[in-house]
Amino acid sequence: MLSEDEKFMKKALLQAERAFNRRETPVGCVIVKDHKVIARAYNRRNEKKNTLAHAEIMAIDKASKKIGDWRLSGCTMYVTLEPCPMCGGAVIQSRIDRLVIGTMSEKNGCAGSVTDLMHIKGFNHQVEVTTGVLEEDCSNILTLFFKKVRAENARKKADNLT
Amino acid sequence: MLSEDEKFMKKALLQAERAFNRRETPVGCVIVKDHKVIARAYNRRNEKKNTLAHAEIMAIDKASKKIGDWRLSGCTMYVTLEPCPMCGGAVIQSRIDRLVIGTMSEKNGCAGSVTDLMHIKGFNHQVEVTTGVLEEDCSNILTLFFKKVRAENARKKADNLT
């Protein structure tokens, strides 16, 4: 049986799949309050041509609109990939209590990988972090995506040579 | 005569004044490319009830829409107050080349005050930072705003007691 964290990460993974199907780097996110999903989003950066179209930013936008407050106190964010500095910063600024991560981002992660924004004592808000929830699934969908992109690029190159 | 940096910071200050007049913490921002302003915005967090309504995020949104690309390479951001972690992260993610700051934010600044996101070698982008441009003006408008808010709160309290 799935734990509550796994249950909500599954929902974030469903969002990542939607990104995958639209040829976007597959990252998905849900925000939960009182054991209910109040916002969900997936990465749409290429489609929107806008760096703000990361899954976490769009989920925070939706959650704020739903609650009618910029403060998302009492909320937990579930995200399949460790947030970048912008999204990590947005988690702090919106006062989200807890961040649950699927897989880590060695290149750009701001919850422990490249840097850790979640536990800086100088800020007036710190975030409880849980990592490695459905890690394999969250990592596999990314691996599969980049494999597919590389294969497509190789095919295009070969087509151009013939 | 004003330098180019001072000229554009003046424009950011005009944006901060618009925030002031709407009873928002007075922070203003412009984004410049090829010596021309391509986006301008001011803090509207309380009006919008959304943490994403910081001046810098809205300016990045407008600039991306104008350019039609999430990459803002070749752009300089002028902002009256040192960016928070979210906005600092957004500067990195959108690949803005240069960040020009009016006054520093000891409580929440991410370009050297609380932490420095702009020069982390682990990220694939670093940002050139210039500080202290029209510092007194950028600081004064904030001081004036918080003084006004405190006076209003004291008056309300006095009214309730009589």
Side-chain angles (χ1 to χ4, degrees):
Chain A
M1 207 178 122
L2 294 179
S3 68
E4 181 162 310
D5 275 356
E6 288 169 336
K7 190 183 88 182
F8 288 124
M9 191 58 81
K10 274 254 181 218
K11 293 191 187 293
L13 261 166
L14 279 176
Q15 294 297 309
E17 284 170 18
R18 295 185 71 179
F20 187 101
N21 293 335
R22 288 166 181 248
R23 304 172 59 88
E24 295 273 2
T25 304
V27 179
C29 175
V30 299
I31 296 177
V32 171
K33 191 174 186 180
D34 299 329
H35 311 284
K36 279 181 192 150
V37 172
I38 61 163
R40 65 196 89 212
Y42 55 93
N43 176 42
R44 296 169 76 179
R45 189 174 68 168
N46 285 328
E47 178 201 338
K48 297 265 189 191
K49 299 183 194 306
N50 196 317
T51 213
L52 303 171
H54 273 190
E56 302 96 307
I57 295 287
M58 288 189 297
I60 286 173
D61 191 33
K62 288 178 183 175
S64 294
K65 281 174 182 155
K66 188 141 190 179
I67 290 181
D69 196 342
W70 61 263
R71 297 168 199 85
L72 300 181
S73 308
C75 290
T76 298
M77 174 184 283
Y78 291 82
V79 61
T80 57
L81 180 69
E82 185 186 6
C84 76
M86 170 181 69
C87 296
V91 167
I92 298 166
Q93 287 302 121
S94 58
R95 309 226 181 130
I96 284 174
D97 285 346
R98 189 170 168 246
L99 174 64
V100 183
I101 297 168
T103 190
M104 300 303 271
S105 168
E106 269 180 40
K107 282 190 185 169
N108 211 20
C110 280
S113 290
V114 181
T115 187
D116 184 3
L117 288 175
M118 302 303 148
H119 303 101
I120 295 182
K121 286 191 179 155
F123 293 143
N124 69 352
H125 183 69
Q126 286 80 37
V127 182
E128 188 193 329
V129 178
T130 303
T131 60
V133 175
L134 301 186
E135 188 170 8
E136 214 178 313
D137 293 340
C138 294
S139 171
N140 281 348
I141 192 172
L142 284 161
T143 310
L144 194 66
F145 176 77
F146 289 115
K147 212 168 157 178
K148 199 179 152 207
V149 168
R150 275 194 301 272
E152 281 174 4
N153 289 345
R155 203 167 44 240
K156 271 184 210 157
K157 208 174 160 185
D159 285 349
N160 286 339
L161 289 176
T162 55
Chain B
M1 206 179 123
L2 295 180
S3 68
E4 181 162 309
D5 276 355
E6 287 168 337
K7 189 185 90 182
F8 288 125
M9 190 59 82
K10 273 256 180 214
K11 293 191 186 293
L13 260 166
L14 278 176
Q15 294 296 309
E17 282 170 21
R18 295 185 70 178
F20 187 100
N21 293 335
R22 288 165 181 248
R23 302 172 60 86
E24 296 273 0
T25 305
V27 180
C29 175
V30 299
I31 295 176
V32 171
K33 192 173 185 180
D34 299 330
H35 312 283
K36 279 183 192 149
V37 173
I38 60 163
R40 63 197 91 213
Y42 55 92
N43 176 42
R44 295 168 76 180
R45 188 174 69 168
N46 285 329
E47 178 202 337
K48 296 266 188 189
K49 299 184 193 306
N50 196 317
T51 211
L52 302 172
H54 274 190
E56 302 95 307
I57 295 286
M58 288 188 297
I60 287 173
D61 190 32
K62 287 177 184 177
S64 294
K65 282 174 181 155
K66 188 140 189 181
I67 290 183
D69 195 342
W70 61 263
R71 296 168 199 85
L72 300 181
S73 308
C75 290
T76 297
M77 174 184 282
Y78 291 83
V79 61
T80 58
L81 181 68
E82 186 186 5
C84 77
M86 171 180 68
C87 296
V91 168
I92 298 166
Q93 287 302 121
S94 59
R95 310 226 181 129
I96 284 174
D97 285 345
R98 188 170 167 243
L99 174 65
V100 183
I101 297 170
T103 190
M104 300 303 272
S105 168
E106 270 181 40
K107 283 190 183 169
N108 212 19
C110 280
S113 289
V114 180
T115 186
D116 184 4
L117 288 176
M118 301 304 148
H119 303 101
I120 296 183
K121 286 191 182 156
F123 293 142
N124 69 352
H125 184 68
Q126 286 81 36
V127 181
E128 189 194 328
V129 178
T130 302
T131 61
V133 175
L134 301 187
E135 187 169 9
E136 213 178 313
D137 293 340
C138 293
S139 171
N140 281 348
I141 193 172
L142 285 160
T143 309
L144 194 67
F145 177 77
F146 289 115
K147 212 168 157 178
K148 198 178 152 207
V149 168
R150 275 194 302 272
E152 281 175 4
N153 289 344
R155 202 165 48 239
K156 272 184 208 156
K157 208 173 159 184
D159 285 348
N160 286 339
L161 288 174
T162 53

